[in-house]
Amino acid sequence: MGIATVNPATGELVKSFDALTDEEIEVCLETAAKASVSYRYLPMEKKSEWMNRAADILERDAKRFAKIMTLEMGKPIKGAIAEVKKSAWVCRFYAEKAAEFLADLPAESDASRSFVRYQPIGPVLAVMPWNFPFWQVFRFAAPALMAGNVGLLKHASNVPQCALAVAEIFREAGFPEGAFQTLLVGASQVAQIVADDRIKAATLTGSEPAGASLAAQAGKNLKKTVLELGGSDPFIVLESADLEAAVETAVTARMLNNGQSCIAAKRFILDEAIAGEFQQKLVEKFQALKVGDPMLPDTDVGPLATPGILEDIDKQVQACRAKGAKALTGGQRLSDRPGNFYPPTILADIPRGTPAYEEEFFGPVALLFRVRGIDEAIELANSTSFGLGASAWTTDAAEQDRLTLELEAGAVFINGLVKSDPRLPFGGIKRSGYGRELSIQGIHEFVNVKTVWIK
Ligand code: NAP
């Protein structure tokens, strides 16, 4: 399809864009390199002022930006508005905290004075996915720009208008030319950009193959990368859990963004003691969800972002069913309408050897598993190649301790939804990637941690 806006609710091609030529990419790289020289030494107060202004613009035009997102990738409009506001939050957070996070850090040594100083490294390339087209970009850009780096964005090919809108926000906020640029390029053009000497580091949020490809190219050129990749997060419910709260949260945890979130709960691991009741309540709640036009404020579940994603999730569901998994609700494509709609689906009695045990399900499909007690729950939760987030429900303090200690994940949330928050680090282990975004750890990823020793 190339770089284009295609409405996922109708399949209609709204607008297509030409990818930048090699000559145009060269101009962008040169602009970034030149901007970096002066931008890196600008006072923190100036950068904070611009970053706060970016937040003002996001809040001022939240509805307009939200509509662009919903048009391009189909998330329900209420979620899109919330995403724009959260993007404003991360801008304000780093506008306020960057000075503290990047302050010189005294360290004792044999010098008369020694300390650690954090300095920018230069132009950083961000390759971003379509699922949170604003949030993903701002959570990279806010710390990167506050640290004195300049940013170049290669956004997913199906959200070009989001990509252009974000660059426009930074321009209107007052950031100098070249501090943040959107490059409309396809995935095949990324390698040459990563290899260019003027790019100092790269980050990618997306699938494992894309991450591996970017990291290989960066490795060849000795450049640092941060990778935020897929997940198959467990949602564990043990006997003592507050079942009402767990079920309520389970619906949001699986359905947010039409099920297309890296930290969505994908595998529901239920203690036998409560599994029947949990399952029954979950089916009722899934069946009550309103599937439809994502532009309507009362829609819960919109279309999947692309026909390819619809194909993939349906193939995974059918592969599980063919081997004996039961669909408690949903389980078939909705053929009564255009667009990439898939119904909220729950699979149970899933046999081993099906994709449910190995793969990420990127859509509105909950996978239910029954276990006997915490040992089996932890074992099943950890038996995947991913390690992004984990949500676990129990009121037993000893169980809470074990879960926070033994779950193999970048984040464990007890009695709550796994979520990103500017104040907390975010990232994965195992095949979910490496490095961290957000919080103090996020801003330290793309800086020169300089040792200063003075006698
Ligand atoms: P994707 O196909 O990997 O695309 C992500 C980005 O990478 C897009 O900009 C894409 O460009 C680009 N890309 C694809 N192949 C590439 C390559 N070989 N070299 C360089 N760039 C390449 O992922 P997706 O299907 O859009 O996104 C869903 C995945 O992202 C899921 O696995 C999800 O879990 C993960 N995700 C992770 C996080 C996290 O924080 N851990 C957050 C959100 C999503 P084109 O669009 O031009 O192909």
Side-chain angles (χ1 to χ4, degrees):
M1 176 53 73
I3 302 173
T5 303
V6 177
N7 185 344
T10 61
E12 173 210 2
L13 170 65
V14 178
K15 196 167 178 185
S16 50
F17 296 79
D18 290 329
L20 296 186
T21 62
D22 287 352
E23 291 72 29
E24 288 166 328
I25 293 173
E26 168 59 30
V27 171
C28 294
L29 290 170
E30 200 47 33
T31 304
K34 285 210 178 103
S36 174
V37 175
S38 50
Y39 182 73
R40 59 190 288 127
Y41 293 118
L42 290 180
M44 196 60 94
E45 299 75 48
K46 198 74 217 155
K47 288 180 277 191
S48 290
E49 186 189 317
W50 293 327
M51 197 54 79
N52 277 320
R53 212 178 294 153
D56 294 341
I57 296 166
L58 284 161
E59 283 162 357
R60 182 193 71 200
D61 288 349
K63 281 199 181 128
R64 179 166 72 86
F65 296 134
K67 275 189 192 159
I68 302 175
M69 276 194 261
T70 298
L71 169 70
E72 292 198 304
M73 51 67 67
K75 74 172 63 207
I77 192 77
K78 59 189 172 193
I81 293 170
E83 180 173 339
V84 179
K85 292 187 175 160
K86 190 167 174 182
S87 303
W89 179 22
V90 78
C91 292
R92 293 203 195 286
F93 175 78
Y94 279 108
E96 186 198 332
K97 300 291 266 186
E100 174 192 327
F101 291 162
L102 299 172
D104 290 347
L105 186 69
E108 281 199 16
S109 75
D110 58 344
S112 341
R113 187 159 78 95
S114 48
F115 58 93
V116 176
R117 170 161 289 169
Y118 300 103
Q119 292 189 301
I121 53 171
V124 182
L125 174 70
V127 180
M128 290 288 148
W130 46 265
N131 62 343
F132 292 94
F134 269 55
W135 169 243
Q136 299 287 358
V137 178
F138 279 94
R139 81 180 190 189
F140 151 73
L145 296 185
M146 287 308 300
N149 297 312
V150 305
L152 294 104
L153 167 67
K154 180 270 179 277
H155 218 325
S157 291
N158 56 332
V159 289
Q161 297 194 50
C162 290
L164 294 170
V166 173
E168 189 47 45
I169 290 166
F170 285 118
R171 203 174 0 239
E172 190 190 336
F175 283 95
E177 192 195 348
F180 185 92
Q181 299 179 79
T182 280
L183 312 184
L184 290 184
V185 293
S188 62
Q189 293 169 286
V190 170
Q192 74 184 82
I193 299 171
V194 173
D196 191 282
D197 274 348
R198 288 163 290 194
I199 295 293
K200 302 303 176 197
T203 179
L204 181 141
T205 299
S207 61
E208 291 170 80
S213 159
L214 178 105
Q217 186 66 8
K220 236 197 274 176
N221 291 280
L222 301 176
K223 291 176 190 177
K224 177 166 181 181
T225 50
V226 166
L227 298 181
E228 299 283 4
L229 308 178
S232 186
D233 285 8
F235 187 103
I236 299 170
V237 188
L238 298 178
E239 191 173 355
S240 69
D242 173 346
L243 217 56
E244 278 305 326
V247 176
E248 193 68 39
T249 305
V251 178
T252 311
R254 179 60 281 200
M255 286 301 158
L256 193 78
N257 213 34
N258 306 334
Q260 305 158 119
S261 168
C262 54
I263 48 169
K266 290 167 189 149
R267 297 174 299 136
F268 294 82
I269 298 174
L270 312 171
D271 192 288
E272 270 190 351
I274 50 83
E277 196 183 339
F278 183 96
Q279 180 175 307
Q280 186 202 331
K281 287 179 194 285
L282 194 69
V283 170
E284 281 164 19
K285 287 192 188 291
F286 268 39
Q287 287 174 343
L289 292 169
K290 198 160 170 202
V291 181
D293 180 353
M295 287 289 180
L296 298 177
D298 61 343
T299 292
D300 298 305
V301 183
L304 297 171
T306 65
I309 295 170
L310 178 66
E311 287 286 322
D312 289 348
I313 194 88
D314 191 46
K315 255 191 223 148
Q316 290 172 311
V317 168
Q318 300 323 328
C320 293
R321 294 184 72 182
K323 289 212 169 163
K326 281 201 195 83
L328 304 180
T329 186
Q332 289 288 349
R333 291 164 74 140
L334 296 172
S335 51
D336 60 341
R337 61 193 91 186
N340 313 322
F341 290 92
Y342 204 80
T345 293
I346 298 177
L347 297 183
D349 301 335
I350 310 168
R352 287 208 180 256
T354 54
Y357 285 83
E358 303 294 334
E359 299 173 9
E360 178 179 33
F361 277 52
F362 218 57
V365 179
L367 308 166
L368 306 193
F369 303 89
R370 290 186 185 216
V371 290
R372 253 172 277 155
I374 188 169
D375 290 324
E376 273 185 42
I378 292 174
E379 195 194 330
L380 181 58
N382 288 343
S383 70
T384 122
S385 55
F386 296 109
L388 198 50
S391 174
W393 293 72
T394 169
T395 51
D396 180 305
E399 285 185 346
Q400 293 178 355
D401 278 350
R402 279 198 63 192
L403 291 157
T404 55
L405 199 65
E406 295 177 39
L407 285 173
E408 295 169 2
V412 175
F413 282 64
I414 301 291
N415 300 329
L417 176 84
V418 178
K419 58 182 188 241
S420 55
D421 178 326
R423 299 162 296 184
L424 300 170
F426 184 97
I429 58 168
K430 296 159 83 175
R431 293 184 74 84
S432 292
Y434 50 76
R436 290 294 177 266
E437 292 189 287
L438 301 176
S439 143
I440 187 170
Q441 285 79 12
I443 201 169
H444 283 174
E445 288 287 0
F446 296 121
V447 289
N448 172 18
V449 182
K450 186 188 268 180
T451 296
V452 180
W453 188 100
I454 302 168
K455 187 105 183 169

